[in-house]
Amino acid sequence: MLFKGFSATFPARSTAGFLLLILFFVGSGSCASGSDQGRAQSRLPSVTLDITRSGLPVARLIAEVADSDTERERGLMFRKDLSDGTGMLFVFPSDQRLAFWMKNTQVPLSIAWIESDGTISEIRDMTPFSLAPVESGRFVRYALEVPQGWFARSGVEAGDRVVIPEAQRVPADSK
């Protein structure tokens, strides 16, 4: 399982490991450089993502692409808003079980866990500032964060397919 944390995305293998991670983050505050504390990362390059069901269009959005460790770690932290029809696509180098949290993220979000073929395996809502991990139930390659409720408002559901552009199928730090 992975945590999108303050300054590290890393595997956690056990309950004891999870507790140690929590103690580390609580005790250390932020490991980010002082100049980056409390600031959102700059806007990342964006792509248009089409979401389909049985090959027919369901929705379209513009997503920033977080495809390096640094970008994935920072994500949407410290952002003050996120417009409907926009989001952030997190690209990982391999299929794995993922867990994200909402530390320093004030915008209510929904997250779609996406398999390597683009199929949405599940959609979950996340609570601003929560340290509780939101875990994927399956091995996935991507995560897509959008304003909370956007998937439902747009008619997107588990089983739909996100068309991932070829250039985003492999993270930048794996190329």
Side-chain angles (χ1 to χ4, degrees):
M1 128 177 78
L2 294 174
F3 287 88
K4 179 184 76 175
F6 237 108
S7 66
T9 302
F10 47 89
R13 301 271 183 221
S14 67
T15 302
F18 173 73
L19 293 174
L20 287 172
L21 294 174
I22 294 298
L23 288 174
F24 170 77
F25 285 119
V26 169
S28 67
S30 171
C31 297
S33 69
S35 64
D36 285 342
Q37 276 186 330
R39 282 197 346 217
Q41 70 179 328
S42 299
R43 301 281 178 194
L44 301 174
S46 298
V47 295
T48 299
L49 296 177
D50 290 314
I51 302 175
T52 63
R53 182 176 305 130
S54 301
L56 300 173
V58 174
R60 174 177 277 181
L61 74 148
I62 305 298
E64 294 177 60
V65 178
D67 66 353
S68 71
D69 284 341
T70 302
E71 293 166 351
R72 289 187 297 262
E73 291 160 6
R74 196 70 165 183
L76 293 169
M77 287 177 157
F78 304 107
R79 297 278 177 99
K80 298 198 184 304
D81 56 39
L82 186 65
S83 301
D84 260 4
T86 65
M88 185 170 285
L89 178 69
F90 296 82
V91 181
F92 290 88
S94 62
D95 294 352
Q96 54 198 292
R97 291 188 100 157
L98 299 176
F100 280 37
W101 62 0
M102 293 284 286
K103 187 169 186 173
N104 295 319
T105 307
Q106 65 184 355
V107 178
L109 299 173
S110 294
I111 189 166
W113 300 116
I114 305 169
E115 298 171 16
S116 58
D117 68 354
T119 301
I120 297 173
S121 64
E122 62 186 304
I123 297 171
R124 304 271 306 275
D125 288 337
M126 300 192 298
T127 304
F129 301 109
S130 174
L131 299 182
V134 177
E135 301 178 30
S136 64
R138 298 180 181 175
F139 281 73
V140 294
R141 178 76 52 95
Y142 311 98
L144 177 59
E145 291 180 339
V146 298
Q148 193 168 93
W150 182 86
F151 291 118
R153 288 189 297 278
S154 300
V156 176
E157 53 194 44
D160 291 347
R161 187 170 177 272
V162 179
V163 181
I164 309 288
E166 187 70 35
Q168 275 65 53
R169 293 188 188 166
V170 178
D173 53 9
S174 296
K175 292 178 184 174

